[in-house]
Structures are given as C-alpha cells and as structure tokens.
Amino acid sequence: MVKKMIAVVLTATMLFSVTACGSPGTAAPDSGSSDNNSPVESTESSVADASAAEEDQTYDPVTIQFWNSWTGSDGEVLTELVEKFNETNKWNITVEMDISSDFNSQFFTAMAADAGPDMILIWSALKYNFTDQLTSIDDIWEKTDLKKENFMNTYLEATSQEDTLYGIPFQLTKYCMFWNKDLFQNAGLDPETPPASYDDWLQYAEKITDESSHVYGSGLDYSNIAAMSTIMQMFGGLMVDQDHLESQLHRKRRIRAFYRLVQRAGQCQLHAKQ
C-alpha cells in the first residue's frame, strides 16, 4: 500500500492545526433548563459545557514525522515553534522534526522506498511527482480554524491537483529586479531610473552590454527552470502547455519569445531549429 503523507507548506500554527483534526465530543445542552433562561444564557451554558467536555477529553498519543530543509535562522524559529507545540498541545501530539541540509537526497530516496514522512515543507511543484503518495486535505476548512477566504485562489491552486487540495501555501517566491547604477551611468543611462517595461529592459541591456569587457546588460540563471519558465511567460510563451503534459519548447512562438530576450540582452548567440 502506498504510504500517504500530508504535503503541507504552512506556518507552524497552521501546521499543527492540521494535525489536530480529531475534535472532542461536546456535551449536550441540559434539557432540564428552565424556560426562564434567555437564549444568550443557554448559548453560554452550552459553550461552557462543551469547553468542559473538551478539557476532560483524552487522546491517544500521535507522533507526526515532519521533514524540511530549513537549516538557517528560519529553521531555529521553526524549531522553537515545534517545541512549544509539543509542550502545550492538548491532543497528545508529538511532532518529530527532521531538518536536513541534504533534504533533496533524503526525501527522494525515502519516497522511492515508500518511506516518506507524514508531513513535509516543500515547494509546490513536487505535487506532480508524488500525487499518489499525497493525501487530500480538502476538509481542512471544516476541521480546523483556517479560513479559505484568507488565501488567494491562485496560491491554493498551486498546492492543488485536479481540484484536490494537498497543501497550504506558506512561503511565496517573487522575482525582483536589481540594477547596477554604476553600469547605468557608464552607459549614459539615468542610474535613478530603472526600466519600467520589458522593452525598456531590453533596450537598456543592449546599451550596457560591452562584450570586450565581459559586461552584459542582463543576467539569466539558465539552471533555474522555474525562473526561466517565468521569463518565457513574461515574453509571450509557455514552457509547457496548460495541462502540464506537453513541452512547448518546439513551438516557434515560445522559442522566439525566449531568444528575443537572450539575444537582445547581450547574453550570447544561440540557435535552434525553427
């Protein structure tokens, strides 16, 4: 049987709310209450009874294996939150967190052996690799205090597959533009005025480029597939089709959109079959 895991990408508070899916039973309202009790008093009494029942509820011990690669200062914060949760949660849950600097190797090896963790903190694109080993958390909105309306649909879609939710968005990556003011000034450009459009970007890159000095007007990280696909989309093409099933790199429009950037930005001359 394939081991199912929760691939949840979330803050520690959300993480632990997810694991506490089993809610205790609540006491029934006292049927012997007098007719003189107001609705407010009855409601307060019911809440008090429910709280008392919850306090008396006992839970079987549960251990959650939680893997991530947060080895920096953010990992220290996450460790503190996990320790606090383990000490204070009332559901008898213990989170055993494994922070690894060799996370990728550890994770992929474990998944191949169907021995992955219960919960992971990982990039959402891996939902395509391990869909059969993930478990649905569609009921998270009913079983926790998380509110669906507090999340943008775009980001929920990123952690879903075929309308099934497998994770909660936690950390969003944005691309920012940095410009070298010295190079701008050397090229006769205003160092205080960055490009305001992609056309500006390409024009400025051409002016800055000086191959004899190994100075180039724009830089691209060719090894970063996510970054490259984003750049291609900005310039009018997609790396894969909308269903993520077929490469679009052979499409003329996609190739031209990409190489328009590469060539005009002074990176290098590349050639591809048209």
Side-chain angles (χ1 to χ4, degrees):
M1 180 181 293
V2 175
K3 178 180 180 180
K4 294 282 187 176
M5 67 177 178
I6 306 175
V8 202
V9 188
L10 13 95
T11 64
T13 302
M14 293 180 186
L15 168 74
F16 303 132
S17 295
V18 172
T19 60
C21 291
S23 58
T26 57
D30 183 3
S31 59
S33 299
S34 68
D35 294 336
N36 293 329
N37 287 344
S38 68
V40 173
E41 291 174 336
S42 297
T43 300
E44 291 176 346
S45 176
S46 297
V47 171
D49 291 345
S51 298
E54 186 172 345
E55 289 296 326
D56 295 337
Q57 180 74 28
T58 59
Y59 297 85
D60 293 331
V62 174
T63 300
I64 302 294
Q65 298 294 329
F66 174 38
W67 291 7
N68 63 81
S69 60
W70 284 27
T71 56
S73 58
D74 47 6
E76 296 175 2
V77 174
L78 189 56
T79 298
E80 292 177 2
L81 292 172
V82 168
E83 291 175 349
K84 181 178 179 180
F85 174 81
N86 285 341
E87 294 171 359
T88 61
N89 86 86
K90 60 187 176 184
W91 302 286
N92 205 10
I93 296 172
T94 300
V95 176
E96 295 183 352
M97 184 167 66
D98 185 344
I99 300 179
S100 175
S101 59
D102 191 28
F103 176 80
N104 286 349
S105 176
Q106 175 187 356
F107 176 67
F108 282 98
T109 299
M111 294 302 288
D114 192 26
D118 302 300
M119 189 172 294
I120 54 174
L121 182 60
I122 202 167
W123 53 99
S124 60
L126 283 184
K127 66 185 179 182
Y128 300 113
N129 300 66
F130 302 109
T131 301
D132 291 341
Q133 291 167 280
L134 301 179
T135 189
S136 167
I137 57 170
D138 284 331
D139 57 356
I140 191 172
W141 316 117
E142 291 76 36
K143 293 189 175 182
T144 74
D145 58 0
L146 297 180
K147 306 297 182 184
K148 187 175 183 179
E149 56 268 24
N150 290 338
F151 297 86
M152 293 182 65
N153 286 334
T154 300
Y155 301 133
L156 290 177
E157 290 173 1
T159 55
S160 300
Q161 176 79 335
E162 296 182 355
D163 298 324
T164 298
L165 184 66
Y166 292 112
I168 296 296
F170 166 54
Q171 193 175 54
L172 307 178
T173 301
K174 297 182 179 180
Y175 293 101
C176 302
M177 180 181 65
F178 295 86
W179 71 97
N180 187 315
K181 293 185 177 182
D182 291 337
L183 293 182
F184 266 54
Q185 191 165 7
N186 294 340
L189 299 169
D190 182 356
E192 302 301 326
T193 306
S197 67
Y198 292 114
D199 286 336
D200 286 350
W201 176 21
L202 294 175
Q203 291 172 14
Y204 290 9
E206 288 180 313
K207 291 181 178 180
I208 292 171
T209 296
D210 181 1
E211 294 189 22
S212 65
S213 300
H214 302 290
V215 173
Y216 297 93
S218 181
L220 296 174
D221 182 358
Y222 296 105
S223 65
N224 188 328
I225 298 299
M228 296 307 295
S229 62
T230 300
I231 293 293
M232 288 184 69
Q233 187 171 6
M234 289 176 180
F235 281 81
L238 294 174
M239 187 171 286
V240 295
D241 63 11
Q242 294 288 357
D243 295 326
H244 308 288
L245 299 176
E246 181 182 357
S247 170
Q248 298 295 291
L249 294 177
H250 62 290
R251 305 287 186 183
K252 290 183 180 180
R253 180 184 174 192
R254 277 65 175 176
I255 293 174
R256 287 171 180 168
F258 176 67
Y259 288 119
R260 175 171 174 257
L261 167 66
V262 174
Q263 293 173 350
R264 291 190 61 188
Q267 290 295 297
C268 58
Q269 293 296 320
L270 300 177
H271 304 278
K273 275 188 176 181
Q274 298 297 314

